[in-house]
């Protein structure tokens, strides 16, 4: 039977090509042409100008030259800014961590009733739609310049970030462990304490440490829109052409961020 | 003690897992529930403590209708219905002691639970149970460090920690090797007799069921098709439960051991 079918089949071609990603040739070539045309138009429209680049490069080198050597003379101002950034990051992370637990529970489909679920998901979606700088601009307008607006920004961003990832962890937990605790006659809070939290706690702590690391980096930039921290000092130094001081600030920020990233990595690796 | 009246469960999608099952468990005896996969054994067990909500019928435990209870009442009732699971269902990241003590969660406050401050008599009972199931010295081990047999021992201790009126056991040995399976099954039956507890045990291993149970319930396609003593289980009964197959091997192999099992029962009673 199969031998007959094989004999009846025409000889197979001896060349083979991988089928294209988009089978329809008109659509395939149409897309390629459209993307190329848009790129040509886009480069023209953005005034992509070689002459400007040529003039800009020496200026950039000039600026870099003025940055060396970095000027740490006003280290007190710098330290104040850094300490404020650090405070903003720690306060926002701590408050955000606490608030993200109910949000994470609310946004877990296997735990929360439908209305709570959609409310929590809505909040998370909203808080993650806008970049931190946009939220910060809004809060600076609403509450005035300073660290308070920055802390509030980082707090909102933290609850969205930790809440979403915590919810995913809760949705992925082992239902059997929860079922067993429920079967003993435990109430909802007891089930949370003995069945759910033990399963998600290591991930939650890891997320909080990771978020502290992110908040520290963000807090150095929020000052540029007036939301406190070392960013404000950096922005001022740039606008006053004090590039040597700018360099000192940048080096300090890099140092702090590197240390934070290293510490966060070490801490997260130790949690199981 | 426990009475099931016309218990039915139809899952979403229209699969009737359990179709009007009526059973009465009046004495403290070990009941083995046997039947092919998908016969409704797990559904039956889970409908009793409403981990699965039955679609029709009643579950009456000591006069109280579990199916008519509010969530609060159900939680109170569940404190006296202990369950042992196929996959052990221990909270993996908690210690053995926390897992055993979780059998008392229905009796402690939220603060006691949060800070693991259980009353001294619960701690005493937990240590005594750990000794009884052969896990002395393991109280501070994390559940995920234990072997399968050890985990099921913790599961047994957690169930008995509830001081239940009845023991529901869902395939306690399917995840274990044959020798461990037998030891664990013996342990469960032994403890149920020691404490005068009725035990409903779902089990795939017909040999073990005939060896240790005092009563056998056969389930097929959601119906009770057999209910009687192990001695009454013959080829015809097994064919009724599982469908036609050569059952001589299954029955013959267990005959001498079944004799030993009944001797043990006499000694225990």
């Amino acid at each position: 039977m199969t031998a007959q079918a094989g004999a009846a089949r025409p000889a197979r071609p001896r060349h083979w090509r991988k089928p294209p990603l988009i089978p329809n040739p008109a659509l395939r070539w149409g897309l390629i042409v459209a993307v190329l045309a848009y790129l040509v138009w886009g480069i023209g429209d953005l005034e992509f100008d070689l002459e400007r680049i040529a003039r800009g490069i020496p200026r950039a080198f000039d600026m870099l030259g003025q940055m060396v050597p970095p000027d740490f003379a006003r280290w007190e101002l710098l330290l104040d800014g850094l300490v404020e950034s650090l405070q903003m990051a720690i306060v926002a992370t701590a408050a955000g961590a606490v608030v993200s637990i109910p949000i994470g529970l609310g946004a877990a489909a296997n735990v929360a009733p439908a209305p709570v679920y959609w409310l929590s998901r809505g909040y998370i979606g909203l808080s993650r739609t806008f970049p931190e700088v946009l939220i910060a601009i809004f809060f600076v307008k609403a509450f005035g310049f300073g660290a308070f607006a920055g802390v509030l920004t980082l707090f909102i961003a933290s609850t969205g970030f930790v809440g979403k990832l915590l919810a995913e962890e809760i949705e992925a937990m082992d239902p059997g462990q929860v079922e067993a605790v429920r079967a003993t006659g435990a109430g909802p809070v007891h089930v949370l304490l003995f069945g759910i939290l033990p399963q998600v706690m290591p991930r939650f702590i890891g997320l909080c440490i990771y978020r502290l690391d992110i908040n520290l980096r963000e807090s150095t930039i929020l000052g540029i829109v007036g939301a406190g921290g070392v960013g404000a000092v950096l922005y001022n130094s740039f606008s006053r052409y004090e590039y040597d001081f700018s360099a000192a600030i940048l080096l300090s920020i890099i140092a702090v961020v590197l240390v934070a990233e290293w510490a966060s990595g070490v801490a997260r690796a130790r949690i199981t | 003690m426990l009475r099931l009246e016309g218990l039915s469960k139809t899952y979403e999608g229209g699969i009737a897992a359990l179709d009007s099952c009526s059973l009465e468990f009046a004495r403290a005896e070990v009941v083995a529930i046997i039947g092919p996969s998908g016969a409704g054994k797990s559904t039956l067990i889970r409908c009793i403590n409403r981990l699965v909500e039955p679609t029709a019928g009643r579950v009456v435990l000591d006069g109280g209708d579990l199916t008519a209870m509010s969530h609060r009442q159900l939680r109170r009732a569940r404190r006296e219905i202990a369950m042992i699971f196929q996959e052990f269902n221990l909270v993996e990241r908690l210690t053995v002691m926390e897992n055993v003590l979780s059998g008392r969660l229905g009796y402690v406050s939220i603060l006691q639970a949060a800070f693991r401050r259980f009353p001294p008599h619960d701690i005493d009972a937990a240590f005594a149970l750990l000794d009884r199931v052969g896990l002395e010295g393991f109280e501070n081990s994390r559940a995920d460090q234990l072997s399968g047999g050890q985990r099921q021992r913790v599961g047994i201790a957690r169930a008995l920690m509830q001081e239940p009126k009845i023991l529901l056991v869902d395939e306690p040995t399917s995840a274990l090797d044959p020798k461990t399976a037998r030891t664990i099954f013996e342990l469960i039956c032994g403890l149920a007799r020691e404490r005068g507890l009725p035990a409903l045990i779902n089990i795939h291993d017909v040999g073990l069921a005939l060896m240790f149970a005092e009563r056998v319930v056969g389930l097929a396609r959601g119906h009770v098709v057999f209910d009687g003593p192990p001695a009454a289980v013959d080829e015809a009964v097994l064919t009724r439960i599982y469908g036609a197959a050569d059952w001589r091997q299954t029955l013959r192999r267990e005959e001498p051991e079944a004799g030993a099992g009944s001797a043990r029962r006499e000694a225990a009673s």
Side-chain angles (χ1 to χ4, degrees), chain B residues 29-237:
Chain B
E29 58 186 357
V30 172
V31 183
I33 302 170
I34 60 173
S37 301
K41 302 191 297 295
S42 281
T43 305
L44 178 76
I45 289 271
R46 284 179 152 72
C47 276
I48 293 172
N49 60 1
R50 281 174 61 189
L51 285 180
V52 168
E53 285 291 343
T55 33
R58 303 203 315 150
V59 176
V60 183
L61 179 66
D62 282 350
D65 182 358
L66 286 157
T67 45
M69 285 180 179
S70 69
H71 282 287
R72 185 177 293 269
Q73 290 170 315
L74 177 65
R75 281 204 295 276
R76 290 194 154 270
R78 274 179 180 166
R79 301 193 303 193
E80 304 188 308
I81 308 172
M83 192 154 181
I84 296 170
F85 298 85
Q86 178 173 11
E87 300 291 343
F88 324 128
N89 289 7
L90 303 183
V91 182
E92 297 282 318
R93 285 211 182 88
L94 293 184
T95 59
V96 166
M97 189 48 120
E98 282 169 302
N99 270 290
V100 174
L101 286 173
S102 67
R104 300 306 291 172
L105 279 179
Y107 297 92
V108 299
S109 71
I110 288 170
L111 280 179
Q112 281 176 304
F115 296 102
R116 313 300 197 242
R117 291 282 179 271
F118 286 77
H121 57 87
D122 284 350
I123 308 286
D124 288 343
F127 273 117
L129 269 170
L130 282 176
D131 287 356
R132 177 64 184 84
V133 300
L135 285 178
E136 52 273 76
F138 279 91
E139 61 269 15
N140 291 332
S141 304
R142 243 167 64 157
D144 54 10
Q145 296 170 331
L146 303 182
S147 72
Q150 289 173 327
R151 286 181 199 208
Q152 196 56 296
R153 287 170 195 272
V154 178
I156 295 167
R158 171 175 65 189
L160 292 173
M161 206 48 210
Q162 289 178 238
E163 288 170 15
K165 283 183 192 164
I166 187 162
L167 203 51
L168 306 176
V169 191
D170 189 20
E171 300 283 2
T173 59
S174 311
L176 303 172
D177 70 73
K179 183 170 181 293
T180 312
R182 189 173 161 150
T183 322
I184 291 290
F185 198 76
E186 264 189 280
L187 181 65
I188 293 173
C189 296
L191 279 164
R193 290 195 183 99
E194 229 168 71
R195 303 189 162 220
L197 277 176
L200 274 58
I201 310 183
N202 284 341
I203 181 115
H204 268 304
D205 189 328
V206 177
L208 275 182
L210 299 183
M211 221 184 300
F212 293 107
E214 282 132 307
R215 179 176 161 194
V216 175
V217 170
L219 228 55
R221 293 175 304 282
H223 296 277
V224 177
V225 295
F226 175 80
D227 187 355
V233 177
D234 54 20
E235 287 178 47
V237 168

Side-chain angles (χ1 to χ4, degrees), chain A:
Chain A
M1 178 73 192
T2 47
Q4 273 173 359
R9 202 180 294 154
R12 292 192 181 92
R14 303 198 48 209
H15 295 284
W16 181 86
R17 281 190 189 199
K18 182 176 150 60
L21 184 66
I22 303 170
N24 181 346
L27 183 64
R28 185 164 70 243
W29 288 109
L31 275 175
I32 291 171
V33 169
V35 168
L36 284 178
Y38 181 82
L39 280 178
V40 169
W41 173 80
I43 288 167
D45 195 55
L46 287 172
E47 294 165 40
F48 190 78
D49 187 348
L50 282 177
E51 205 182 321
R52 265 177 76 181
I53 295 173
R55 270 186 283 129
I57 287 173
R59 261 212 303 266
F61 273 107
D62 186 36
M63 196 175 120
L64 282 177
Q66 287 183 40
M67 282 186 164
V68 186
D71 176 16
F72 284 94
R74 276 178 289 162
W75 60 272
E76 283 169 318
L77 193 60
L78 169 59
L79 194 67
D80 275 354
L82 275 178
V83 167
E84 192 177 54
S85 279
L86 208 65
Q87 275 176 334
M88 284 163 59
I90 291 172
V91 171
T93 310
V98 172
V99 175
S100 64
I101 293 180
I103 290 175
L105 283 166
N110 54 345
V111 175
V116 178
Y117 172 78
W118 290 114
L119 205 70
S120 308
R121 283 283 162 179
Y123 170 79
I124 288 173
L126 211 63
S127 73
R128 286 172 60 81
T129 304
F130 302 107
E132 274 88 338
V133 174
L134 277 189
I135 303 179
I137 291 173
F138 174 77
F139 281 139
V140 168
K141 292 283 174 212
F143 303 108
F145 287 97
F148 179 68
V151 169
L152 217 53
T153 303
L154 294 177
F155 166 75
I156 300 278
S158 303
T159 53
F161 176 87
V162 180
K164 180 178 189 322
L165 295 175
L166 181 64
E168 267 157 29
E169 187 71 9
I170 294 172
E171 286 175 347
M173 73 185 172
D174 172 14
Q177 300 181 29
V178 181
E179 185 185 47
V181 176
R182 190 169 289 142
T184 65
V189 181
H190 293 81
V191 172
L192 176 70
L193 289 170
F194 265 77
I196 300 175
L197 285 187
Q199 292 196 58
V200 300
M201 217 47 186
R203 174 86 172 134
F204 174 69
I205 295 171
L207 283 174
C208 291
I209 296 172
Y210 185 34
R211 187 64 219 189
L212 180 64
D213 174 6
I214 297 175
N215 280 349
L216 205 58
R217 265 178 286 161
E218 294 291 338
S219 69
T220 60
I221 211 75
L222 290 181
I224 290 174
V225 295
V230 73
V233 188
L234 179 67
Y235 184 71
N236 286 338
S237 75
F238 266 120
S239 49
R240 289 185 205 143
Y241 305 105
E242 297 165 348
Y243 293 135
D244 47 355
F245 187 40
S246 306
I249 298 168
L250 284 174
L251 286 176
S252 312
I253 291 177
I254 292 169
V256 168
V257 168
L258 280 181
V259 168
E261 203 166 293
W262 169 79
S264 134
V266 169
R268 277 183 291 145
R270 286 184 168 229
I271 301 166
T272 48

